[in-house]
Amino acid sequence: MDPRAERIYKAAAYINGILSDFDLHPTIGIVLGSGLGRLADKIINPVTIPYRDIPGFPVSTAIGHKGNFIVGEVGGKTVIAMQGRIHYYEGYGMELVTLPIRVMKVIGIKYLFVSNAAGGVNFNYHVGDLMIIRDHINQLPNPLIGPNLDDFGPRFPDMTRPYDLELIAKAKDIAAELDIPVHEGVYFGGTGPTYETPSEYKYIRIIGGDVTGMSTIPEVIVARHSGIRVFGMSVITNEAHDDYAPDYMNDGHDVVVAADAAADKMSSIFEKLIASL
């Protein structure tokens, strides 16, 4: 067996062994980004599985990422949530960055909900705003480079609609019902861990990006490769413009604080969207 597949199935078997004791069969995966782990508090009857206990699993080291799977009920559905993701900038290769998505596929998820903290390069976006991701621009290494894992999907997967149009439409209706303003735009993904320079922010805006971050896209690519339907949302945690005051600095702690402040709004939309499935 391909060593990559062996690692995936071994991790999934460990998790399934725990879930079988509780008769839990999640069909929805959730990735909770920087500062957004509070959505895990909405999970009813949670079962916590630390990443460090899972065979062959990487450990999340980023600020605001606790490093657990949380399994339980949201909106009447059984979900498995990543309370913290794995980032390329932590030094992990793409095989490990995307390992949790493939493990969740083996466990049985049909939908993946991804969230992240992002800088708003669009001048109309402000700290605390929410953006539904309708498309992305990838400047991270593609996680499908290398021999194809035929058990999971085709060699050349289509990415015409990486983010599910039906889920986007439902989310917009839900946001309107809840009176929560949302943007809809394009996520630009870079490697990090540096924040972008003012000229890079300008470049991202010129080529069509509305927000910029350091995650999400590899997870989405692997999910779509596996036939999983995807919905994504960004919280704007800083205004990533190119006209800063001379003493301005981006700060990782401020990003987490801003994400926390918007978490309740995002959680409400996710909860109702999950309930609609």
Side-chain angles (χ1 to χ4, degrees), residues 51-253:
Y51 296 162
R52 64 178 179 272
D53 294 344
I54 303 171
F57 221 75
V59 177
S60 180
T61 65
I63 297 171
H65 292 250
K66 291 186 177 180
N68 299 312
F69 274 124
I70 310 290
V71 186
E73 186 178 309
V74 172
K77 305 294 193 301
T78 303
V79 306
I80 178 167
M82 291 180 64
Q83 197 175 28
R85 55 160 48 92
I86 313 301
H87 299 83
Y88 182 69
Y89 66 71
E90 295 174 76
Y92 293 114
M94 279 298 165
E95 177 193 345
L96 293 180
V97 169
T98 57
L99 174 66
I101 308 304
R102 287 181 167 137
V103 168
M104 288 192 286
K105 168 67 176 180
V106 173
I107 288 169
I109 69 163
K110 309 297 182 187
Y111 299 89
L112 181 69
F113 287 69
V114 293
S115 65
N116 57 60
V121 297
N122 187 315
F123 287 125
N124 296 319
Y125 293 10
H126 303 289
V127 173
D129 286 359
L130 300 177
M131 187 196 82
I132 295 170
I133 306 173
R134 74 163 182 270
D135 202 353
H136 65 234
I137 300 170
N138 186 33
Q139 289 297 301
L140 287 148
N142 192 302
L144 301 184
I145 291 172
N148 188 52
L149 284 170
D150 295 332
D151 286 359
F152 290 86
R155 170 75 282 187
F156 301 107
D158 177 51
M159 292 294 289
T160 307
R161 289 170 291 277
Y163 302 87
D164 192 273
L165 297 181
E166 182 182 350
L167 295 179
I168 289 173
K170 282 185 177 183
K172 290 164 69 175
D173 288 343
I174 289 166
E177 291 169 9
L178 296 174
D179 198 26
I180 298 174
V182 293
H183 303 288
E184 183 181 342
V186 177
Y187 179 92
F188 176 97
T191 65
T194 54
Y195 291 110
E196 292 83 355
T197 68
S199 294
E200 287 169 337
Y201 287 141
K202 185 176 182 179
Y203 165 74
I204 292 167
R205 189 181 310 112
I206 289 171
I207 67 172
D210 293 294
V211 303
T212 179
M214 308 171 189
S215 66
T216 302
I217 296 175
E219 298 155 350
V220 172
I221 290 172
V222 165
R224 293 303 303 131
H225 177 245
S226 297
I228 298 167
R229 297 172 64 182
V230 176
F231 174 78
M233 181 171 281
S234 296
V235 175
I236 312 309
T237 50
N238 60 296
E239 295 178 12
H241 300 165
D242 47 292
D243 55 353
Y244 292 122
D247 60 347
Y248 179 84
M249 289 184 64
N250 277 312
D251 181 85
H253 174 72

